[in-house]
Amino acid sequence: MNLTVTESQLKLVLEKLDAVKLELLRLRAMLLPEEELTEKEKKELEEARKEIAEGSTTTLEKLIKELG
């Protein structure tokens, strides 16, 4: 089976896909609203971001021991 699509048809399909993607994102936002972080969570998140910016790393073994 051979199918030929013109450039304008392809452009139309891609525009429709973008519209569908945006609608799905809107629906997800409506159905799964973001939760507000507690002050403790905000502080932990900021600390984690600083560690990432500084290049701090850990091994999987250390993480397992800490959380295990």
Side-chain angles (χ1 to χ4, degrees):
M1 181 175 176
N2 193 7
L3 180 65
T4 304
V5 179
T6 66
E7 189 175 333
S8 62
Q9 290 172 322
L10 180 59
K11 185 177 177 182
L12 180 63
V13 169
L14 292 174
E15 288 172 358
K16 294 290 183 181
L17 285 173
D18 282 342
V20 169
K21 181 180 176 182
L22 287 173
E23 188 60 28
L24 286 172
L25 290 171
R26 282 190 204 106
L27 288 171
R28 182 179 73 177
M30 287 172 42
L31 296 173
L32 301 171
E34 292 183 22
E35 295 181 19
E36 289 293 321
L37 296 176
T38 65
E39 288 303 316
K40 180 182 177 188
E41 291 169 328
K42 287 179 186 179
K43 184 177 180 183
E44 290 173 348
L45 181 58
E46 184 59 34
E47 288 174 10
R49 286 182 174 152
K50 284 180 185 176
E51 289 176 5
I52 291 169
E54 293 169 356
S56 297
T57 61
T58 188
T59 65
L60 179 58
E61 290 79 19
K62 287 181 183 177
L63 189 60
I64 291 171
K65 284 181 183 178
E66 184 179 322
L67 300 176

